Amino acid sequence: MGIGLRARWTALHGVPRAFMAIRARRGDPFARLIANHGQGEDPYPVMEQLRARGPLGRSPFVWVSIDHGVCREILRDRRFGVTAPTDMELPWPLGAVLARTDPKVANPVEPPAMVVMNPPDHTRYRQLVAQSFTPRAIEALETRVDEVTAELIDRLDAIARPDLIADYAAQLPVAMIAEILGLPAGAHAQLLEWGRCGAPLLDIGIGWKSYRQAIDGLRGMDGFLGEHFDRMRADKAGDNPFSRLSGDATLTDRELTANAALLVGAGFETTVNLIGNGIALLLRHPQQLALLRDDPGLWPGAVEEILRFESPVQMTARTPNCDVEIAGQHVRAGETVVLLLGGANRDPRVFTDPAAFDITRANAREHLAFASGVHACVGAALARIEGATALRALFQAYPELDLTETPRRRGLVNLFGYTRLPARLRSRRAAPAQ
C-alpha cells in the first residue's frame, strides 16, 4: 500500500502543490496563500489583494471569493453543494489513481463524512449526529464544560511554565468530544495526537510526510473507534446518541466511524484554535481584556469577535450542480468556488474598521466562521460555550498571565491557530464567591 499511498498523495496533493508553487512565483495571490502557508506568512494582506480583484474572481481551475455577501449567498444556495477532493473533476490519470488507491479508512474529509456529503445523505447523517447537540444535550454538556474547566485551572497550578495550547486549550474540547462519543478519559491523549496528525488533510498541497502521518493516524483512529463501537454494541451500555447509533444499525460501520472521526477533527481542532487565538489576541490587546474584567457580561460578544477576527477555519469550497450567474460571473456546473471565510469576516462593507479587534462590535456575530446554510457547524453552540468558559476562567484565575515566547502559527492554511503558547501564570486569584 506504500506505493499506492504515495500515488494517491501525488494525485491529491503533490500535483496541486507543484502547480501552486509555480503560480505563486508568478504572483498569483491565491496560489501564494496556499503555497506559503508553512512559512508563517500573515494571510490577510494576501487576501486583500484578492478582494481588490472583485467579489468573485478567477484563479486557475477555481473561482475564489473573499466577499462576505457572495460567500454567505453561496453557502445558503441549494444549487451549490460540497465536493470531496476525491470527487473533483480531475484529469483522467489523476482520477484513475484516486479510484484505485482508496486506503479504506474513516477519513473526516472524504465520504461518508457528512462534511463532504450533500442531501439527502448529508441530511440523514446530520440529523443523527445532531442528537448530540440538542438544547437538552448542550445544557448537560455546559455543566461538564464548567466542571472540566475548573479541573484544568487547578492542574495549571502545578505546572511552572505551562503551554496553554497543550495544557489547557486542547484539553477542554477533547474532553467534551470524548464524552459525546462515550470514550474514557484515558483516550484523550490519543485523540489529541490523531487530531494533530489529521489536521493537515483540510489543506491543499500538503507534503508527503504530513500526508503519510495523517493516514497512519487515521488508520489508528479507525481501528480504535471501530473497537469502541463494537464494545458499545455488545455491552448495550451508555445513553448518548453514539451508543444508540452503534447498536441500531442505522449507519454502517464506516459511516459511523467516519462521522465520529469528523467530530474529533471539526469538534475539537477548531475549538482549540478558538481558545488559543483568544488567549493571544487578548494579551495583545490589554485594553480589550480590561473591558472584560470590568464587565464579564461581554464575554459572549468577545468570543464572536475572536471568531470573526481570526477564524479557526479559514476557507471552504462549494460546487454548483447547474450553471449559475453570481456576482456578475457565469459559473458552470461542476466548477469549484473557494470561499475564503477568514477574509469574508474582514469585509469592510459589513464590518467597520475590520482590521481592528473590538470585543464590543455590535455585529460581530454576522461572521461566517461556522459557515452557514445546511452545512453550518452542528456544534457551534457548544464551541461558543467552551470558548467563553475557558477564556473567562483563565483570565479570572491568572490576571497577571503573560506569554514567555512569541506565539508561532501552526503552518496550516485552513485551520488557523497556534502550535504552542508557553506562558508564565504568576499568582492565582481566588475564585469569586458563588
Side-chain angles (χ1 to χ4, degrees), residues 163-187:
D163 169 10
L164 293 179
I165 296 296
D167 297 321
Y168 190 69
Q171 297 298 325
L172 176 59
V174 79
M176 293 302 101
I177 292 302
E179 294 222 0
I180 289 170
L181 296 177
L183 293 166

Side-chain angles (χ1 to χ4, degrees), residues 153-213:
I153 292 291
D154 287 341
R155 283 189 217 168
L156 288 179
D157 279 341
I159 307 173
R161 288 286 191 272
D163 169 10
L164 293 179
I165 296 296
D167 297 321
Y168 190 69
Q171 297 298 325
L172 176 59
V174 79
M176 293 302 101
I177 292 302
E179 294 222 0
I180 289 170
L181 296 177
L183 293 166
H188 292 184
Q190 192 62 72
L191 289 176
L192 286 167
E193 178 60 16
W194 287 327
R196 183 193 67 79
C197 289
L201 291 173
L202 285 99
D203 280 358
I204 302 169
I206 65 175
W208 160 243
K209 182 179 178 181
S210 294
Y211 182 74
R212 184 183 60 197
Q213 289 177 341

Side-chain angles (χ1 to χ4, degrees), residues 171-326:
Q171 297 298 325
L172 176 59
V174 79
M176 293 302 101
I177 292 302
E179 294 222 0
I180 289 170
L181 296 177
L183 293 166
H188 292 184
Q190 192 62 72
L191 289 176
L192 286 167
E193 178 60 16
W194 287 327
R196 183 193 67 79
C197 289
L201 291 173
L202 285 99
D203 280 358
I204 302 169
I206 65 175
W208 160 243
K209 182 179 178 181
S210 294
Y211 182 74
R212 184 183 60 197
Q213 289 177 341
I215 297 300
D216 286 345
L218 289 180
R219 287 192 179 112
M221 181 164 59
D222 190 40
F224 177 85
L225 290 174
E227 292 175 1
H228 169 65
F229 292 131
D230 283 345
R231 285 193 298 271
M232 276 188 160
R233 195 174 294 118
D235 296 342
K236 299 181 180 178
D239 188 31
N240 67 48
F242 273 88
S243 67
R244 294 193 292 273
L245 287 173
S246 68
D248 64 11
T250 302
L251 299 176
T252 67
D253 288 348
R254 188 164 184 181
E255 288 174 329
L256 185 61
T257 54
N259 285 287
L262 174 62
L263 286 188
V264 173
F268 128 71
E269 283 287 340
T270 53
T271 311
V272 173
N273 291 346
L274 163 59
I275 297 169
N277 292 349
I279 293 170
L281 280 169
L282 290 168
L283 290 175
R284 287 207 312 267
H285 298 84
Q287 292 179 332
Q288 300 290 302
L289 184 54
L291 291 175
L292 288 162
R293 286 177 172 143
D294 291 341
D295 183 2
L298 295 174
W299 274 109
V303 167
E304 301 302 332
E305 178 66 352
I306 293 164
L307 288 164
R308 181 199 73 83
F309 193 78
E310 290 191 342
S311 304
V313 176
Q314 288 281 299
M315 66 179 68
T316 187
R318 295 292 185 267
T319 303
N321 55 35
C322 60
D323 288 6
V324 176
E325 296 288 333
I326 191 163

Side-chain angles (χ1 to χ4, degrees), residues 8 82-88 102-118 121 125 252 254-259 262:
R8 190 175 184 82
V82 293
T83 301
T86 51
D87 292 335
M88 293 179 66
D102 182 0
K104 300 189 184 302
V105 295
N107 191 327
V109 295
E110 292 186 13
M114 68 177 181
V115 72
V116 288
M117 301 296 289
N118 291 305
D121 289 326
Y125 295 149
T252 67
R254 188 164 184 181
E255 288 174 329
L256 185 61
T257 54
N259 285 287
L262 174 62

Side-chain angles (χ1 to χ4, degrees), residues 15-35:
V15 171
R17 180 185 179 91
F19 177 78
M20 288 295 181
I22 293 170
R23 294 293 306 177
R25 287 195 293 270
R26 294 178 179 175
D28 182 275
F30 179 66
R32 280 186 57 205
L33 192 69
I34 301 301

Side-chain angles (χ1 to χ4, degrees), residues 20-21 23-25 27-50 59 64-66 203-204 314-315 338-343 411-414 416:
M20 288 295 181
R23 294 293 306 177
R25 287 195 293 270
D28 182 275
F30 179 66
R32 280 186 57 205
L33 192 69
I34 301 301
N36 295 344
H37 63 83
Q39 303 173 23
E41 181 176 317
D42 182 355
Y44 295 110
V46 182
M47 288 188 186
E48 292 309 312
Q49 294 178 27
L50 288 163
S59 284
V64 181
S65 180
I66 193 173
D203 280 358
I204 302 169
Q314 288 281 299
M315 66 179 68
V338 177
L339 309 176
L340 299 179
L341 305 179
L412 301 175
V413 176
N414 207 359
F416 197 67

